């Protein structure tokens, strides 16, 4: 689908380059005594409704819509030389280079290897093709809606779907005012400054950086729930030599801790299996 994966601008992961792709983590679990992990993810790039034109929509009476019920992918985590990797598409490996963790401010994270985030929607970054590069904002919206089942204030003013009005509000949350069917298509309608994409610094559809995603989420939390929630960037910089599987596993425990605390996390990806 268009704009599904944003190309990395550097061969080495960086906090200041647009991430290769961002997805929402729905669960993590240890599957054997060797502490191999499986994760389930919500991928905002897997909805291809943006490919459909208005004539096709008229014939099927099925306008594009966000997925409000979980449609997760279950993936095995593989340990690389420096960082874990997943096969997000058949034959296409992506390395997990970092995560943005959203947690209650009072949480005391303890590494957790079995945790799940129920009722997370699977919103689409491709629903409005005029807005490219929205994986970070869309994955963040998935996590905020999921947390909202426990703390409605975090997503106040943005009701849950499925419903056409909820789809429009999800568009507004992700990037700004929705582009309705039948309106003239523009290459890059303005992304609203107070939307998630706007707060993340995604102004022209070029994607968001790891720092931008974190800063945008912090801005959202400050405006909606004050200091009762926090967003933290856990980035896997190059380590001297190799990073052992045990060290990579320990880092993954932070992801489970964020979910177990009642929060959630976004995984930040670069295409490729190792650096």
């Amino acid at each position: 689908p268009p704009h599904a994966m944003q190309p990395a601008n550097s061969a080495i992961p960086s906090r200041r380059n647009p991430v290769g792709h961002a997805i929402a983590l729905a669960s993590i679990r240890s599957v054997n005594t060797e502490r191999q992990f499986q994760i389930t993810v919500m991928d905002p790039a897997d909805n291809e409704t943006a490919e459909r034109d208005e004539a096709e929509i008229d014939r099927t009476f099925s306008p594009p819509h966000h997925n409000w019920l979980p449609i997760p992918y279950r993936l095995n985590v593989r340990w690389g030389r420096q960082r874990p990797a997943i096969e997000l598409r058949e034959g296409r490996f992506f390395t997990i280079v970092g995560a943005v963790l959203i947690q209650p401010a009072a949480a005391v994270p303890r590494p957790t290897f079995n945790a799940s985030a129920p009722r997370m929607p699977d919103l689409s970054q491709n629903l409005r093709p005029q807005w490219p590069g929205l994986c970070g904002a869309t994955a963040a919206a998935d996590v905020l809606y999921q947390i909202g089942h426990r703390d409605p204030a975090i997503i106040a003013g943005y009701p849950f779907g499925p419903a056409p009005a909820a789809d429009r509000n999800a568009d507004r949350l992700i990037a700004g005012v929705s582009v309705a069917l039948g309106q003239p298509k523009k290459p890059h309608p303005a992304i609203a400054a107070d939307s998630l994409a706007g707060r993340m610094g995604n102004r022209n559809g070029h994607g968001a950086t790891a720092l931008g995603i974190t800063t945008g989420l912090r801005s959202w939390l400050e405006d909606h729930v004050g200091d009762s929630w926090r967003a933290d960037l856990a980035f896997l910089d190059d380590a001297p030599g190799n990073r052992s599987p045990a060290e990579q596993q320990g880092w993954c425990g932070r992801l489970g801790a964020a979910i177990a605390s009642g929060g959630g996390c976004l995984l930040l990806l670069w295409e490729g299996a190792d650096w």
Side-chain angles (χ1 to χ4, degrees):
H3 320 307
M5 305 296 176
Q6 303 306 313
N9 292 337
S10 170
I12 299 175
S14 166
R15 292 169 167 80
R16 298 185 181 277
N17 281 333
V19 299
H21 193 40
I23 57 179
L25 180 65
S27 73
I28 184 169
R29 70 186 184 103
S30 177
V31 295
N32 57 36
T33 56
E34 299 297 322
R35 196 165 281 173
Q36 295 298 307
F37 291 151
Q38 285 185 341
I39 59 174
T40 56
V41 302
M42 302 297 179
D43 183 357
D46 62 5
N47 186 328
E48 299 188 16
T49 54
E51 298 282 356
R52 300 166 58 197
D53 60 25
E54 292 180 32
E56 180 184 358
I57 292 166
D58 288 342
R59 289 195 303 270
T60 61
F61 302 101
S62 177
H65 58 85
H66 290 291
N67 294 321
W68 291 92
L69 298 176
I71 307 178
Y73 286 112
R74 178 170 285 113
L75 305 168
N76 293 320
V77 179
R78 309 182 186 216
W79 312 119
R81 182 178 61 85
Q82 287 273 350
R83 306 166 181 88
I86 53 176
E87 188 177 7
L88 186 61
R89 299 283 186 272
E90 185 175 356
R92 290 185 68 183
F93 285 86
F94 285 78
T95 294
I96 301 171
V97 299
V100 182
L101 312 177
I102 306 173
Q103 302 170 89
V108 180
R110 296 181 176 84
T112 304
F113 303 109
N114 290 282
S116 62
R119 297 190 291 175
M120 178 183 288
D122 187 11
L123 306 181
S124 172
Q125 74 180 78
N126 296 319
L127 197 61
R128 309 300 173 200
Q130 299 90 342
W131 282 323
L134 296 182
C135 57
T138 308
D142 283 342
V143 174
L144 291 176
Y145 276 115
Q146 187 273 325
I147 296 173
H149 288 294
R150 294 186 52 170
D151 185 354
I154 208 166
I155 202 71
Y158 297 84
F160 298 93
D167 283 348
R168 291 192 294 272
N169 277 305
D171 291 347
R172 183 167 60 92
L173 169 65
I174 293 166
V177 178
S178 176
V179 178
L181 293 174
Q183 291 184 355
K185 294 181 179 180
K186 299 179 182 179
H188 302 296
I191 289 175
D194 64 346
S195 68
L196 289 174
R199 292 169 189 261
M200 292 175 180
N202 186 342
R203 295 287 186 268
N204 299 306
H206 297 308
T209 68
L211 288 173
I213 292 171
T214 309
T215 299
L217 276 166
R218 286 173 178 165
S219 169
W220 179 270
L221 297 175
E222 181 179 353
D223 284 354
H224 288 78
V225 288
D227 59 359
S228 60
W229 288 80
R230 70 176 192 264
D232 301 310
L233 175 60
F235 203 83
L236 283 163
D237 292 303
D238 279 338
N242 293 338
R243 183 178 277 114
S244 70
E247 291 175 301
Q248 295 176 52
Q249 292 160 3
W251 183 85
C252 287
R254 298 178 63 182
L255 312 180
I259 294 173
S261 73
C265 68
L266 286 67
L267 297 182
L268 309 180
L269 310 178
W270 250 253
E271 189 162 9
D274 196 31
W275 278 271

